[in-house]
Amino acid sequence: MLKLHNLYKVYHTDEVETVALNGVNLEIEQGDFVAIMGPSGCGKSTLLNVVGMLDNPSDGEYFFFDEDVAPYSESQRSEIRKQNIGFIFQSFNLIDELNVAENIELALLYHNMPAAERKRRVTEVMDRMGIAHRASHMPGQLSGGQQQRVAVARAVVGDQPLILADEPTGNLDSVHGQEVMELLRSLNKEGTTIVMVTHSPSHADYAHRIVNLFDGHIVTENTRAA
């Protein structure tokens, strides 16, 4: 599905040069579940941003479905993201003024899709995530675990083949965190590829492969039984 070859990301200020990614080589197959771990500041979120085409690498190649997207413009990357990638964030990133159904539907508004089809998909994914009874609730009326379920629903409602999750359980207690991980495992078993940044070894154990970063480069990779 995706291949990173000798990838670098360097940030420049007037006086400081920071190498966030330092010659990263990584391949992820369709249907994989990959956990990215490492200490704070090691490049995990930067790597996820590059994989998600939210940022361009400074050097190297990034093949997404055999297409080198590294030199693409923001508009080109945006079009690929829209069709292929769903995002789950630690802070949920829900819109306070929209109810649950509207927050989920927001992910479909950039697609050329009739309103009736959008409503059908939203209803289907709410049922799937066990939040249909919360459809008219506002984010502030939900627990943290429920908010993250809405965020997961928003990420998958477009049937994108790749989900990128940045510390998806970071703001949750252990019970709700485990619920979200079970949701991700279920999505992966249905064929969705998942790349997840986490600090939690127990949550990383849900993945097929654990990639450890340090100072911007991969130091170890451990493959686990699916």
Side-chain angles (χ1 to χ4, degrees), residues 77-85 107 110-111 158 160:
R77 299 198 312 270
S78 176
E79 191 61 31
I80 296 173
R81 279 199 309 271
K82 186 168 61 177
Q83 301 299 327
N84 293 282
I85 305 174
Y110 302 102
H111 296 257
Q160 287 94 337

Side-chain angles (χ1 to χ4, degrees), residues 101-149:
E102 291 165 340
N103 263 285
I104 297 169
E105 186 180 7
L106 195 63
L108 298 175
L109 294 181
Y110 302 102
H111 296 257
N112 185 19
M113 185 181 296
E117 174 64 11
R118 293 201 306 269
K119 298 294 185 186
R120 185 194 68 77
R121 288 198 183 200
V122 170
T123 300
E124 184 180 88
V125 79
M126 286 192 300
D127 284 338
R128 186 177 171 193
M129 297 295 159
I131 52 175
H133 62 298
R134 299 289 189 179
S136 60
H137 285 66
M138 309 302 280
Q141 297 174 294
L142 306 177
S143 70
Q146 290 167 340
Q147 289 189 58
Q148 194 61 299
R149 280 178 175 266

Side-chain angles (χ1 to χ4, degrees), residues 6 11 20-21 30-31 34 54-55 60 63 76 93 101 137-138 151 159 178 196 203 226:
N6 206 28
Y11 295 102
L21 297 177
Q30 203 156 358
V34 178
L54 298 172
D55 204 353
F63 291 94
Q76 290 173 306
N93 284 9
H137 285 66
M138 309 302 280
D159 287 332
Q178 186 172 346
M196 173 184 70
H203 292 164

Side-chain angles (χ1 to χ4, degrees), residues 7 34-35 50 68 73 140 160-161 185 208 212:
L7 207 73
V34 178
V50 170
D68 186 6
S73 66
Q160 287 94 337
R185 172 186 274 169
H208 305 158
N212 285 283

Side-chain angles (χ1 to χ4, degrees), residues 83-99:
Q83 301 299 327
N84 293 282
I85 305 174
F87 295 89
I88 304 169
F89 303 98
Q90 176 178 343
S91 56
F92 315 139
N93 284 9
L94 302 179
I95 307 299
D96 290 337
E97 295 76 20
L98 301 180
N99 64 29

